[in-house]
Amino acid sequence: MSGTFLDGVRTLARGIREEPRPFRIAIVGSVVFGAGNALSGFLVGRVTTDVVVPAVNGSGQVTAGDAWLAGATLMSVTVVLVGGVLLRRIFGGAFTFALQARYRRRLARRYLDLPLAWHHAHPAGRLLATASSDVEATWQATMVLPFALGTAVLILFAGVAMVLADPVLAAVGLVVVPALLAANIVYQRRMSPLVVAVQRLRGEVSTTAHESFEGALVVKTLGLADEEVARFRADAERLRDANVAAGRTRGAFEPIIEALPSLGTLLVLVVGSVRVASGHTGVGDLVQIAYLLSLLAFPVRSFGWLLADLPRTVAGDARLQDVLRESATTPWGERAVPDGGALGVAASGLSYRHPAPAADPLSGPGTEHPPPPPVLTDVTLDIAAGTTVAVVGGTGAGKSTLAGLLVRLVDPSTGQVLLDGVDVRELAEGRIAGAAALVPQSTFVFDDSVRGNVALGLEVSDDEVWQALRLAQADGFVAALPGGLDELVGERGSTLSGGQRQRLALARALVRRPRLLVLDDATSALDPAVERAVLDGLERTGISTTVVVVAYRPATIALADEVVHLDRGRVVDRGPAAEVAARDEGYRELVTAYARAAADRAAEEGAA
C-alpha cells in the first residue's frame, strides 16, 4: 500500500509542477472554504451563546438589531464560502482537464514519433485505451485533491476552535479523524489490486473492440459475428466482474466511512449534554463543536476519495510512462538524397525479424512473448535506376516486409539499404518521403474530399491533382462524382469501390512525383488493362522513376524489366521473367497457378 501511495503522490506532484497556476487558484479557493467553514462554526457557537440562549430563556436583553447583525455576519461568511467553492471547483476542473489535454497531446506526439516496428508490437486498442481511459484515470485524483487539501485546513482550524471551546469535547469529537484515516487506509489497500485489474481489463476490452471494428468486413463475410460477440462478451464479463468486485469493496467501506463523523457528532452530543448539565461547558460551546463535526462529515470523505483514486492514478500512469519513456527511436542523419532522376536501389545482407508483442505494464512479470522467427534472411538486391522490378513470392515470403524496408518504414535487423549509394539511415528526416513513395496493399482513404486525399498535406494545384488522377486512371470516375475534387468519400472511402480506392492511393503517391515508387500489391483490385495504363503512363509523362512492384499476376509481372523471386525470406532467383520461369520451378508454379486453376475449372464445366 505504501508503494502505491508514494507513487501516486509523486504522480500528483508532477502534475502540480506542470500545471501550477490553476492548482494554486483552486487551493486558494479550498483554503478559503476550509477556513470559512471553521469560522462559521465559531460564529454559530457565539450566536448561540450571545443571541439564541438569552432570547430563549430570557436571561439577557437581545434586540432585533442583535439578531440582524448575527444573521448578516453568518450571511457574509456564507458568501465567502460560496466564493471559495466556486474557485475550487472551476480551477480544480481546469487543473484536471489541462493535465488530461497535455498528456493526450504528448501521447499523440509520441505515437507519431515512435518507429513502426514499435507499433507492430503494441495493440492499437491498448494504445487507444491509454490515450483515453488511462489518461483520465491518471489525473482523476486531481479533481478531488484541492478539496482534500482544503479539508486538511478545515480540520486544523476546526480542531483549534473546538479545543478552545472545550478540550474534553474536542478530544471526544476529534477521535473520529484518526478512525477515518485508518478506515481509508484499509479501504485503499483493498481497492488497489482491484483497480489495477479493472484498468488492465479496460485495455483488453478496447483491444478486442478495435479488432472487431477493424475486421468488420472479415467478420461479416465469414459469418463470424456470433464468435466475435462471444469473444467480446467474455472480455466484457471479466471487466464487469472486476468492477463488481471493486464496487463491493466500495460498498462495504463507504457506509462505515460516512457513518463515523455522524457517530462522533452523536457521541459529542451525549457527553456534551452531561457536561452542560454539570456546568462544565456552555450550550454555545456544545453547539459549536457539534456543528463543526457535522461540517467535517462530508469534507473528510474527500480523503477516502483521494486514497481510492490513487491506485487508478498509479495504474494509469504506468501505461502512460510505458509509452512516454519508450527509448525506441528512428535515428536520422544529415545527408540529402543525391539529385538526379530515378533512384538506384541496393540492398545488402538484409535480415528482419518482427518484434515480439509487448507485455502490458499492468500484467506483471512473466507475460513476455518469445521473439517470432525471421521474416527476411540475407537478402541482397541491386535495382538499376529507372527500371521496373517485380517481387514475386508465396504467402509469407517477406515481400511486404522488403517493400517497407526499401522506403525505411522499418529498419533491418542486419544489413543496409542504399538509395543512389547513400545508406537510408544517413538521410535527414523527411528526405525519403520527398523522394520515395509506397502504396501499400491495404489502401487507406481518409474521410475527406478527393482533393484532400490526393494532396494529403502537400501544397499542389488542382491541375497537378488532375494529372496524378489521370496517371492513376482515376480521373474518369472522379469527374463523374457530383462534387468532383470536392466530393467527400466517406470514412475509409466507403462511397468508393476497392479499385477506386486503390487508384486514389496511387494518385496520392504519384502527385509527389517520386523517384522511387514501391507498389505493394497495390494494383490487385485493378484489371490488367488499367494496371498497364498506370505503369505506361509513368513513362509517357517523363517522370523518371524506379518502380518496385510486389506482384503475383502474370499480366503485372510481364510489365517488369526483371523479376525477383522470394521464398521463405530469401532471394532464390532473379532475372528476366522468361529466364526465371525457365529455370525456377517454384516461380513457375506460382505464376501459373491462377491460369492452371482457371483452366481446370473450364475443363470441369465443359465435362459437366
Side-chain angles (χ1 to χ4, degrees):
M1 189 279 294
S2 60
T4 299
F5 177 78
L6 293 176
D7 288 343
V9 169
R10 281 191 285 266
T11 300
L12 296 181
R14 187 176 73 244
I16 293 170
R17 290 194 299 271
E18 293 180 349
E19 292 290 343
R21 184 174 178 274
F23 176 76
R24 289 170 183 166
I25 298 175
I27 287 298
V28 169
S30 194
V31 169
V32 168
F33 172 77
N37 265 322
L39 178 61
S40 70
F42 172 78
L43 291 176
V44 166
R46 297 286 66 77
V47 168
T48 301
T49 300
D50 299 337
V51 178
V52 176
V53 172
V56 171
N57 61 22
S59 61
Q61 185 69 29
V62 179
T63 66
D66 294 334
W68 279 106
L69 179 60
T73 303
L74 291 174
M75 181 59 71
S76 299
V77 174
T78 301
V79 171
V80 173
L81 286 174
V82 170
V85 170
L86 288 175
L87 285 177
R88 187 193 75 216
R89 290 195 173 185
I90 292 172
F91 286 92
F95 174 52
T96 299
F97 299 135
L99 282 170
Q100 290 179 359
R102 173 189 291 268
Y103 273 79
R104 285 194 173 107
R105 288 194 298 267
R106 196 174 288 177
L107 279 171
R109 182 69 263 170
R110 194 70 187 115
Y111 285 161
L112 294 173
D113 288 342
L114 284 166
L116 190 62
W118 182 88
H119 284 274
H120 288 162
H122 292 76
R126 189 200 302 171
L127 300 184
L128 290 173
T130 298
S132 55
S133 61
D134 289 332
V135 169
E136 182 179 340
T138 301
W139 303 116
Q140 186 64 36
T142 60
M143 188 72 77
V144 74
L145 179 61
F147 191 18
L149 294 178
T151 299
V153 173
L154 171 58
I155 292 173
L156 176 63
F157 280 97
V160 171
M162 286 190 283
V163 169
L164 292 177
D166 188 323
V168 174
L169 289 181
V172 172
L174 290 176
V175 75
V176 169
V177 175
L180 277 171
L181 291 176
N184 279 313
I185 288 171
V186 175
Y187 176 38
Q188 192 250 2
R189 181 177 296 172
R190 296 284 184 86
M191 283 292 288
S192 180
L194 299 176
V195 168
V196 170
V198 167
Q199 206 65 19
R200 175 178 55 80
L201 290 169
R202 280 180 177 170
E204 293 180 6
V205 168
S206 180
T207 298
T208 301
H210 182 266
E211 287 178 347
S212 297
F213 298 152
E214 286 289 296
L217 183 61
V218 175
V219 171
K220 288 183 177 295
T221 54
L222 295 181
L224 299 175
D226 291 341
E227 286 79 358
E228 280 300 294
V229 168
R231 188 165 74 102
F232 184 78
R233 181 189 295 117
D235 287 346
E237 286 177 350
R238 283 195 294 271
L239 176 59
R240 177 204 61 196
D241 293 342
N243 274 315
V244 168
R248 285 174 178 163
T249 302
R250 187 179 297 111
F253 278 89
E254 286 196 351
I256 297 173
I257 294 171
E258 189 170 349
L260 283 173
S262 300
L263 291 174
T265 303
L266 181 61
L267 186 60
V268 163
L269 289 174
V270 171
V271 175
S273 62
V274 174
R275 290 180 63 77
V276 169
S278 63
H280 289 94
T281 193
V283 175
D285 293 332
L286 173 59
V287 170
Q288 174 183 333
I289 293 173
Y291 178 73
L292 286 171
L293 278 176
S294 67
L295 288 180
L296 288 174
F298 180 74
V300 165
R301 293 186 64 195
S302 63
F303 293 120
W305 300 332
L306 182 61
L307 290 173
D309 279 337
L310 283 182
R312 294 186 66 208
T313 294
V314 173
D317 192 55
R319 276 191 172 157
L320 264 62
Q321 298 307 320
D322 186 57
V323 176
L324 297 177
R325 293 176 180 170
E326 175 57 54
S327 60
T329 58
T330 301
W332 299 98
E334 299 180 353
R335 299 186 64 179
V337 180
D339 294 332
L343 291 173
V345 182
S348 60
L350 290 185
S351 296
Y352 184 78
R353 184 193 301 269
H354 288 301
D360 190 329
L362 301 183
S363 297
T367 57
E368 294 79 9
H369 298 272
V375 181
L376 294 176
T377 304
D378 196 26
V379 171
T380 297
L381 286 175
D382 284 307
I383 301 174
T387 59
T388 298
V389 174
V391 179
V392 182
T395 302
K399 305 183 297 296
S400 295
T401 301
L402 177 60
L405 287 169
L406 295 182
V407 296
R408 210 194 174 192
L409 285 184
V410 291
D411 282 334
S413 306
T414 60
Q416 61 179 351
V417 175
L418 307 177
L419 297 182
D420 272 1
V422 179
D423 192 321
V424 293
R425 288 170 290 200
E426 298 177 7
L427 295 173
E429 187 173 4
R431 297 293 186 177
I432 296 177
L438 168 70
V439 185
Q441 57 187 153
S442 300
T443 56
F444 189 91
V445 178
F446 292 88
D447 187 5
D448 198 354
S449 65
V450 172
R451 180 190 293 103
N453 269 288
V454 174
L456 206 60
L458 194 67
E459 294 293 333
V460 291
S461 66
D462 283 0
D463 287 342
E464 291 173 293
V465 172
W466 279 114
Q467 181 184 16
L469 290 170
R470 280 192 294 272
L471 280 174
Q473 301 297 299
D475 55 322
F477 82 81
V478 171
L481 295 173
L485 293 181
D486 296 314
E487 181 76 10
L488 297 176
V489 297
E491 185 178 1
R492 296 180 176 273
S494 58
T495 64
L496 304 177
S497 69
Q500 289 171 335
R501 288 195 293 270
Q502 276 199 340
R503 279 179 276 179
L504 271 191
L506 280 168
R508 179 190 299 159
L510 295 173
V511 78
R512 286 156 171 75
R513 302 178 70 85
R515 299 164 60 192
L516 169 63
L517 178 62
V518 181
L519 305 176
D520 183 9
D521 201 14
T523 57
S524 59
L526 307 182
D527 61 68
V530 172
E531 187 177 44
R532 175 174 288 277
V534 169
L535 296 178
D536 287 347
L538 291 174
E539 298 180 5
R540 290 197 304 272
T541 57
I543 300 177
S544 185
T545 304
T546 302
V547 179
V548 178
V549 55
V550 174
Y552 64 90
R553 297 191 301 192
T556 309
I557 298 169
L559 303 174
D561 300 308
E562 190 178 29
V563 167
V564 174
H565 180 203
L566 272 183
D567 185 31
R568 299 179 185 178
R570 296 179 181 273
V571 175
V572 295
D573 206 342
R574 62 174 300 178
E579 294 179 10
V580 175
R583 64 176 177 254
D584 187 340
E585 183 179 354
Y587 170 80
R588 194 165 55 249
E589 287 289 324
L590 276 174
V591 297
T592 60
Y594 293 97
R596 284 186 286 104
D600 291 343
R601 283 195 301 271
E604 290 174 2
E605 291 172 0

